[in-house]
């Protein structure tokens, strides 16, 4: 009690002054942005907050993307109003978050995220209020609800290109960290000391890679320097948060480039340890399979087609699976039970790093299980497999494996032909298999090929039952 009482009488002069800066102000004549280019709902939120007496600006990615001629995915607002004050102004607002409290203002399906200006955290332990801010022993921020001024907020943002504030009233851009300069030079640069900022939140390393891949920017050399050394800090991040970050990395249309950057900066191993080990053991096959899966995903997103994380995770983890299956088979376990046990163990290990929800882990296992079932086509098995709701995903995955160099004895071509064949042709194909007494998966000898690889249905990343 006495300690708290004495703290309340401390002179503010004893506190460390936060760094402040004067922004570079770009008038409407110096940039091409207009308020009409932003979401009408976001502009409405800013204006209502300003009319209520608060400072409010459009900020971050929406300003950055429009400067680059890109369509923003969402629109964020920064304000001097607290989350509770925002909620008081908008009936359709909800306060969310504990680690980083903010308000969501709902307009039908569109959500405008409104964050209160943040300030730097107190440096001394005795100055830190655990209800507002806290760090762990390595410096990672556990709670970030220290509010401050607009200038403070600019210094607290992660990258210079995200510290741009758009004033809808005068259509001015306030640039506190030379973000416009870095946009022109296509650079991802951290604000402040890179090592300290990464220690505060190791996910910033993933964000640096994500923005570099999305915008085709380079990571500025001082911002890139500590990444490999600090990559292991990602192991301290909650697995549920990493699942969300991995979806942002791989399901935004530039997954293949993102993967290459993750490998380059040693960030792939903390996320996918077993797959990283497989990549080291067999770089050609593993790299080809993963890149092909990611390229297929990017193509589908570019075409506006749906994708599912289940197929993506199945591809990312598959290279680590066959060796485990083989070990169990060498101990005398039959192929399908060996596949099932190895898959269970691999997914359980992976979920310790990235909390993949059950709605995705079940389809992953079914896609993998289908790889053992697809070679078994005698009798009525082929027709039963074709009716399986997971067949299409399993077939697409088989084609992916073959494209990566796996030898399957023409299994992919056989299934391509079988899907397009008439009932009598299918019976003939099954008889050919029986005559060869090949229930292990080798392709049938056929007098006439029906298009082969050129006739294949392209691999998809949207297994219907996994969406």
């Amino acid at each position: 009690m006495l300690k708290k009482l004495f703290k309340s009488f401390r002179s503010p002069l004893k506190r460390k002054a936060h760094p402040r800066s004067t922004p570079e102000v770009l008038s409407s004549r110096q940039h091409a942005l207009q308020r009409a280019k932003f979401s009408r709902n976001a502009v409405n939120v800013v204006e209502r907050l300003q009319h209520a007496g608060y400072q409010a600006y459009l900020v971050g990615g929406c300003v950055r993307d429009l400067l680059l001629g890109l369509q923003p995915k969402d629109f964020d607002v920064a304000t001097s109003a607290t989350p509770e004050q925002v909620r008081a102004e908008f009936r359709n607002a909800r306060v969310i978050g504990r680690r980083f409290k903010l308000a969501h203002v709902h307009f039908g399906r569109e959500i405008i995220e409104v964050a209160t200006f943040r300030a730097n955290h107190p440096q001394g332990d005795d100055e830190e209020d655990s209800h507002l801010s806290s760090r762990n022993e390595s410096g990672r921020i556990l709670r970030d609800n220290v509010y401050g001024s607009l200038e403070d907020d600019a210094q607290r943002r992660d990258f210079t290109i995200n510290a741009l504030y758009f004033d809808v009233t005068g259509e001015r851009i306030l640039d506190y960290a030379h973000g416009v300069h870095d946009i022109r030079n296509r650079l991802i640069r951290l604000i402040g000391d890179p090592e300290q900022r990464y220690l505060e939140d190791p996910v910033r390393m993933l964000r640096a890679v994500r923005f570099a891949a999305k915008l085709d920017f380079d990571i500025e050399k001082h911002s890139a320097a500590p990444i490999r050394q600090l990559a292991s800090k990602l192991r301290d991040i909650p697995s549920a948060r990493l699942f969300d970050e991995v979806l942002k990395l791989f399901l935004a249309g530039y997954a293949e480039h993102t993967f290459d950057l993750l490998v380059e900066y040693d960030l792939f191993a903390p996320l996918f340890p077993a797959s990283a080990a497989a990549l080291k053991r067999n770089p050609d096959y593993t790299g080809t399979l993963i890149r092909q899966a990611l390229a297929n995903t990017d193509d589908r997103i570019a075409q506006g087609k749906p994708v599912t994380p289940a197929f993506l995770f199945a591809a990312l983890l598959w290279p680590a699976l066959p060796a485990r299956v083989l070990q169990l088979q060498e101990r005398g376990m039959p192929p399908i039970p060996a596949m099932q046990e190895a898959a269970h163990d691999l997914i359980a290990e992976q979920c310790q790093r990235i909390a993949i929800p059950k709605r995705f882990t079940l389809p992953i296992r079914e896609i993998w299980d289908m790889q053992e079932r697809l070679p078994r086509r005698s009798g009525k098995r082929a027709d039963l497999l074709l009716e399986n709701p997971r067949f299409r995903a399993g077939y697409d995955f088989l084609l992916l494996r073959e494209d990566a160099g796996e030898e399957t004895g023409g299994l992919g071509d056989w299934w391509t032909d079988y899907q397009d064949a008439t009932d009598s042709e299918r019976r003939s194909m099954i008889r050919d298999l029986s005559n060869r007494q090949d229930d292990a998966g080798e392709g049938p000898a056929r007098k006439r090929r029906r298009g082969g690889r050129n006739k294949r249905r392209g691999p998809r990343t949207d297994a219907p039952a996994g969406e």
Side-chain angles (χ1 to χ4, degrees):
M1 284 295 294
L2 287 174
K3 183 178 180 181
K4 289 184 179 179
L5 182 63
F6 288 136
K7 281 176 67 178
S8 67
F9 285 106
R10 277 194 186 145
S11 166
L13 296 176
K14 293 183 180 179
R15 291 181 178 271
K16 271 193 171 181
H18 298 316
R20 296 171 103 54
S21 63
T22 301
E24 177 184 359
V25 179
L26 283 75
S27 70
S28 57
R29 296 180 180 180
Q30 296 173 285
H31 62 80
L33 298 193
Q34 298 173 343
R35 54 184 285 155
K37 294 184 177 181
F38 293 85
S39 159
R40 183 179 62 181
N41 292 323
V43 172
N44 177 51
V45 169
V46 169
E47 290 183 328
R48 283 183 59 179
L49 288 171
Q50 290 177 343
H51 291 160
Y54 302 108
Q55 289 179 285
Y57 301 89
L58 290 159
V59 67
C62 62
V63 181
R64 176 200 68 218
D65 288 351
L66 285 173
L67 283 173
L68 287 165
L70 304 174
Q71 181 58 41
K73 185 178 180 181
D74 45 41
F75 295 85
D76 296 339
V77 172
T79 180
S80 59
T82 66
E84 290 75 17
Q85 289 170 331
V86 174
R87 184 174 58 185
E89 289 295 325
F90 296 90
R91 283 186 176 183
N92 50 332
R94 288 181 54 217
V95 176
I96 67 164
R98 286 183 296 178
R99 178 183 174 274
F100 190 92
K101 188 186 291 187
L102 45 79
H104 277 175
V105 185
H106 294 254
F107 296 91
R109 299 183 65 179
E110 183 178 19
I111 297 175
I112 306 301
E113 189 170 281
V114 184
T116 307
F117 297 150
R118 257 55 177 190
N120 286 310
H121 285 236
Q123 297 299 312
D125 292 338
D126 60 337
E127 296 183 1
E128 195 167 88
D129 183 341
S130 61
H131 293 292
L132 300 178
S133 65
S134 63
R135 306 171 186 255
N136 67 5
E137 59 278 359
S138 67
R140 181 163 65 89
I141 293 176
L142 304 177
R143 188 170 288 108
D144 187 8
N145 292 308
V146 180
Y147 302 141
S149 66
L150 172 59
E151 291 79 5
D152 293 329
D153 190 71
Q155 295 299 323
R156 284 290 301 141
R157 293 195 169 265
D158 48 10
F159 302 105
T160 60
I161 59 174
N162 292 339
L164 299 171
Y165 299 78
F166 183 74
D167 176 12
V168 300
T169 303
E171 295 188 334
R172 304 175 305 158
I173 293 177
L174 307 184
D175 182 358
Y176 281 88
H178 305 293
V180 172
H181 173 272
D182 285 339
I183 286 175
R184 289 169 180 160
N185 288 279
R186 309 188 73 79
L187 287 176
I188 306 295
R189 187 194 308 270
L190 271 169
I191 297 173
D193 176 66
E195 184 171 350
Q196 179 186 340
R197 301 309 303 276
Y198 290 141
L199 287 173
E200 286 177 354
D201 186 2
V203 168
R204 285 182 178 135
M205 294 183 285
L206 299 181
R207 285 170 58 80
V209 163
R210 177 157 61 88
F211 289 137
K214 172 185 176 179
L215 305 174
D216 196 23
F217 281 19
D218 293 322
I219 303 177
E220 185 269 333
K221 63 179 182 178
H222 296 293
S223 299
I227 293 179
R228 294 181 182 86
Q229 174 190 345
L230 299 177
S232 62
K233 295 295 181 181
L234 287 173
R235 298 190 181 103
D236 300 331
I237 300 299
S239 58
R241 187 181 177 204
L242 284 182
F243 173 75
D244 292 335
E245 292 298 328
V246 166
L247 294 190
K248 293 176 184 177
L249 288 168
F250 291 130
L251 294 181
Y254 37 88
E256 188 178 6
H257 186 23
T258 298
F259 170 71
D260 289 332
L261 290 175
L262 290 173
V263 173
E264 177 184 348
Y265 287 106
D266 295 340
L267 293 170
F268 186 66
L271 298 176
F272 296 92
S275 301
L279 183 64
K280 190 172 183 180
R281 287 193 307 269
N282 191 349
D284 290 340
Y285 167 73
T286 303
T288 300
L289 185 141
I290 290 177
R291 286 186 179 90
Q292 185 61 52
L294 298 178
N296 293 343
T297 300
D298 290 342
D299 288 344
R300 290 191 63 79
I301 290 172
Q303 297 169 30
K305 297 179 179 179
V307 295
T308 173
F311 194 97
L312 181 66
F313 279 109
L316 287 166
L317 296 173
W318 171 263
L321 185 64
R324 297 183 182 217
V325 175
L326 185 60
Q327 288 178 353
L328 293 175
Q329 288 180 322
E330 289 172 347
R331 297 175 195 167
M333 188 176 291
I336 289 180
M339 170 69 79
Q340 292 171 342
E341 182 168 330
H344 175 273
D345 292 344
L346 177 58
I347 290 175
E349 291 174 16
Q350 182 60 45
C351 285
Q352 297 298 312
R353 295 291 178 87
I354 298 172
I356 307 172
K358 193 173 183 179
R359 68 181 184 275
F360 299 131
T361 59
L362 288 178
I364 291 170
R365 294 185 61 177
E366 290 168 350
I367 291 169
W368 289 347
D369 182 63
M370 191 66 69
Q371 305 312 298
E372 278 293 338
R373 296 183 184 277
L374 286 172
R376 304 171 185 276
R377 299 157 284 171
S378 63
K380 295 183 178 180
R381 288 177 176 176
D383 288 332
L384 291 174
L385 282 174
L386 205 57
E387 295 171 3
N388 190 306
R390 201 64 69 188
F391 168 80
R392 180 69 203 201
Y395 165 73
D396 288 343
F397 201 84
L398 170 64
L399 300 188
L400 180 66
R401 291 167 52 210
E402 290 183 340
D403 288 342
E406 278 194 54
E407 181 54 54
T408 67
L411 186 60
D413 286 338
W414 191 94
W415 276 110
T416 300
D417 288 347
Y418 194 79
Q419 291 176 76
D420 294 332
T422 65
D423 186 65
S424 61
E425 288 173 333
R426 288 181 179 180
R427 301 290 71 77
S428 177
M429 294 173 70
I430 298 299
R431 282 196 299 272
D432 286 345
L433 287 177
S434 299
N435 292 338
R436 292 167 58 92
Q437 293 191 359
D438 180 14
D439 197 36
E442 291 196 10
R446 297 192 296 277
K447 292 182 181 179
R448 178 171 60 93
R449 291 185 64 84
R450 303 181 57 197
R453 287 182 178 270
N454 293 332
K455 202 170 158 13
R456 280 187 175 186
R457 302 179 184 182
R460 307 189 326 177
T461 56
D462 66 325
E467 290 177 3

